[in-house]
Amino acid sequence: GAVVSQHPSWVICKSGTSVKIECRSLDFQATTMFWYRQFPKQSLMLMATSNEGSKATYEQGVEKDKFLINHASLTLSTLTVTSAHPEDSSFYICSAAGTPGGVGANVLTFGAGSRLTVL
Amino acid sequence: KQEVTQIPAALSVPEGENLVLNCSFTDSAIYNLQWFRQDPGKGLTSLLLIQSSQREQTSGRLNASLDKSSGRSTLYIAASQPGDSATYLCAGRGSTLGRLYFGRGTQLTVWP
């Protein structure tokens, strides 16, 4: 079945530093990947849609300059939290949808998530 | 904007009980309704997906129903086991594949 790997699982960083989170589709190609975040006791919320070879689409209220998304290949999307602050501490999770007609097409496969703590 | 509510927030039951988890949504114009399981430190595992045209889906001991007109979905777990302990999320899908509106989840604990 389709598998999505997310790395790192846990990251602790100092305020003001940047953190990169990777989302990889291991056995299928993903034209589109999605990034969500979940604050404690809150719902998972869609942050942005990452399209291979084009700019990401951000949800209202999500700062595109703070959350940089790069989807340079059909198997990898990265989320970089720039100049992280304690309020950015959250659980970030990605999902991927396979290319039409391919493995995992029209089905979302989720990564295991990355817990970011900013001190 | 779609809002999804899950009741109860937490549930603790002895092994063997039959359970009902509730999910309600404000906008009936959903493409489908999906139930997920989330284990600590793990990603989301899709359990059941009900298309908007369907009324229910079954997989093993799990049965999910959907009533779009009332904005409700239920997840029924039969003969619960300790291995069922996890957080259960429901999500309504909007206009695009990744546009999922999640509830806050029901944290289930099944004790032996």
Side-chain angles (χ1 to χ4, degrees):
Chain A
V3 177
V4 171
S5 171
Q6 201 170 329
H7 177 82
S9 302
W10 296 83
V11 57
I12 300 174
C13 69
K14 292 182 179 179
S15 184
T17 61
S18 295
V19 175
K20 182 185 286 187
I21 301 170
E22 294 186 345
C23 179
R24 292 182 185 270
S25 55
L26 296 187
D27 49 2
F28 67 102
Q29 293 184 328
T31 307
T32 308
M33 292 184 175
F34 305 91
W35 288 95
Y36 305 81
R37 65 181 168 187
Q38 182 179 33
F39 293 108
K41 308 262 186 221
Q42 300 297 316
S43 309
L44 273 163
M45 298 287 288
L46 178 65
M47 294 177 66
T49 301
S50 170
N51 301 294
E52 187 270 335
S54 64
K55 291 183 179 180
T57 305
Y58 291 82
E59 295 300 298
Q60 189 174 8
V62 178
E63 300 174 58
K64 62 179 181 181
D65 294 330
K66 180 166 187 64
F67 299 99
L68 300 180
I69 291 173
N70 183 283
H71 193 160
S73 77
L74 284 171
T75 59
L76 174 65
S77 175
T78 60
L79 168 68
T80 301
V81 183
T82 62
S83 186
H85 288 94
E87 57 266 31
D88 298 322
S89 298
S90 186
F91 183 69
Y92 294 86
I93 193 167
C94 69
S95 67
T99 54
V103 173
N106 208 36
V107 174
L108 284 180
T109 303
F110 284 82
S114 301
R115 187 160 301 282
L116 169 65
T117 300
V118 184
L119 303 177
Chain B
K1 180 188 171 184
Q2 178 74 270
E3 300 213 355
V4 179
T5 304
Q6 288 187 247
I7 295 174
L11 187 60
S12 181
V13 299
E15 182 176 11
E17 282 208 1
N18 300 322
L19 311 171
V20 176
L21 307 183
N22 297 293
C23 173
S24 62
F25 46 94
T26 55
D27 187 349
S28 63
I30 56 171
Y31 189 83
N32 59 43
L33 192 291
Q34 198 163 0
W35 284 91
F36 295 89
R37 170 182 173 140
Q38 185 177 25
D39 292 282
K42 302 283 181 65
L44 303 182
T45 301
S46 179
L47 298 173
L48 290 165
L49 186 152
I50 312 174
Q51 300 292 349
S52 61
S53 59
Q54 297 175 324
R55 302 280 284 185
E56 66 178 333
Q57 283 286 335
T58 298
S59 176
R61 295 183 294 108
L62 305 179
N63 175 278
S65 67
L66 174 64
D67 184 343
K68 282 185 60 177
S69 61
S70 66
R72 293 180 183 177
S73 176
T74 60
L75 178 66
Y76 178 81
I77 303 176
S80 58
Q81 303 170 358
D84 294 332
S85 298
T87 297
Y88 290 81
L89 302 174
C90 72
R93 182 194 143 176
S95 56
T96 56
L97 180 60
R99 188 169 298 283
L100 299 180
Y101 297 93
F102 287 88
R104 295 186 183 185
T106 293
Q107 187 173 0
L108 173 65
T109 303
V110 181
W111 38 278

